[in-house]
Amino acid sequence: MDKIKFLTPIDGTMLCDKAGIRRATFYKHFDDKFIYMPYSATAGIVLKRFRDTVAPYVKEEAKRRGVSSYSIIDEMAKKAPAGSGGVILNPDFTNGGAFLGLTLSTSANDLARSVLEGVAYMLKGLVDSVESQGVAVSEILSLGGGAYSDIWGEIKASVLEKKITQVGYNQTTALGAAMLASVAVGVYKSVEEAVSKVKIMGKTFIPDEKDKEVLDLITIMVADITPEHDSKL
């Protein structure tokens, strides 16, 4: 599972605030461009900790059924309503994350969904930080272990109100290295040409309008309990 959520739009110039100060991590990329990279250190690892500490029984159930333990958690999340029955997860476990809104009626299914929603709201914070720099984000490419959870893709699309597309190739680091190498040795003239030769897109998820009202309300509540996503300089 992903331990870090990356959002990496590429732009020809380094983005700065009005005072000329950089507000994110930048990496020099090809063709004199930069990767603009705000991130959070806790994402899929939060789901793993949930499985190992709060719901360790799912591992035995998964073993009995011959499936992934994460698919069991997905099944649990599907049984809970949007908004997780009022439970909100602050997934910033490096600075003291927490489940909030627990009641006597909170179910294990609510907790499972709140983990997926909590990480989705964290991702929304990253997207918001990018858009505040004047970069329009219309679609997000999702990769890594957690990207292949359909329910998580649906949740992220609805929370962010943006299209989420799975990268259909799970060894993306190796694929990217191969593309760059193919350009370096002259197989392709550019990275763009190399990318055009590979079919890497998987499933696409779009926002579910029926959940918009409750998720918009949670967005306001999340803003009150989570720190701003200030990226590294």
Side-chain angles (χ1 to χ4, degrees):
M1 297 296 292
D2 308 332
K3 291 184 175 66
I4 301 174
K5 282 286 180 187
F6 289 102
L7 189 71
T8 57
I10 299 172
D11 191 73
T13 57
M14 296 181 67
L15 300 175
C16 303
D17 65 9
K18 292 181 180 179
I21 300 173
R22 287 187 292 132
R23 295 298 185 187
T25 301
F26 291 84
Y27 293 96
K28 185 69 179 293
H29 202 39
F30 68 92
D31 294 343
D32 292 323
K33 294 182 180 179
F34 294 88
I35 295 180
Y36 177 57
M37 188 177 289
Y39 72 94
S40 177
T42 52
I45 190 63
V46 177
L47 183 63
K48 182 179 184 298
R49 292 297 296 163
F50 171 77
R51 181 199 65 181
D52 294 345
T53 60
V54 179
Y57 55 85
V58 302
K59 291 190 283 187
E60 287 300 318
E61 175 65 11
K63 183 177 180 180
R64 183 183 68 80
R65 292 167 50 182
V67 298
S68 165
S69 57
Y70 294 112
S71 70
I72 303 294
I73 295 176
D74 282 355
E75 291 175 7
M76 295 168 64
K78 290 177 183 177
K79 296 175 182 177
S84 306
V87 179
I88 299 174
L89 172 71
N90 175 357
D92 186 11
F93 280 23
T94 57
N95 293 303
F99 285 104
L100 304 172
L102 298 173
T103 70
L104 293 177
S105 63
T106 297
S107 68
N109 295 338
D110 292 330
L111 293 176
R113 187 179 182 98
S114 74
V115 173
L116 305 187
E117 289 186 343
V119 173
Y121 280 105
M122 178 193 68
L123 179 58
K124 177 175 171 56
L126 298 180
V127 172
D128 289 348
S129 74
V130 170
E131 294 193 318
S132 72
Q133 297 292 323
V135 178
V137 179
S138 60
E139 179 181 6
I140 295 173
L141 303 184
S142 187
L143 58 142
Y148 302 103
S149 161
D150 287 357
I151 181 64
W152 212 349
E154 293 167 3
I155 288 172
K156 286 184 286 188
S158 293
V159 168
L160 274 69
E161 297 185 85
K162 298 183 185 297
K163 182 168 69 174
I164 304 288
T165 300
Q166 293 173 342
V167 174
Y169 187 88
N170 60 8
Q171 297 297 330
T172 50
T173 301
L175 178 61
M179 288 179 177
L180 293 174
S182 70
V183 175
V185 300
V187 175
Y188 298 113
K189 295 180 180 179
S190 67
V191 172
E192 289 81 3
E193 183 185 2
V195 170
S196 72
K197 301 297 182 181
V198 181
K199 180 177 174 54
I200 60 173
M201 296 298 101
K203 293 181 180 179
T204 293
F205 305 96
I206 60 175
D208 190 337
E209 290 300 319
K210 76 177 189 316
D211 296 333
K212 178 175 173 52
E213 184 175 352
V214 64
L215 294 178
D216 283 351
L217 176 60
I218 294 174
T219 296
I220 297 172
M221 298 170 68
V222 167
D224 290 335
I225 64 172
T226 55
E228 292 186 11
H229 294 273
D230 284 338
S231 303
K232 286 184 176 181
L233 292 177

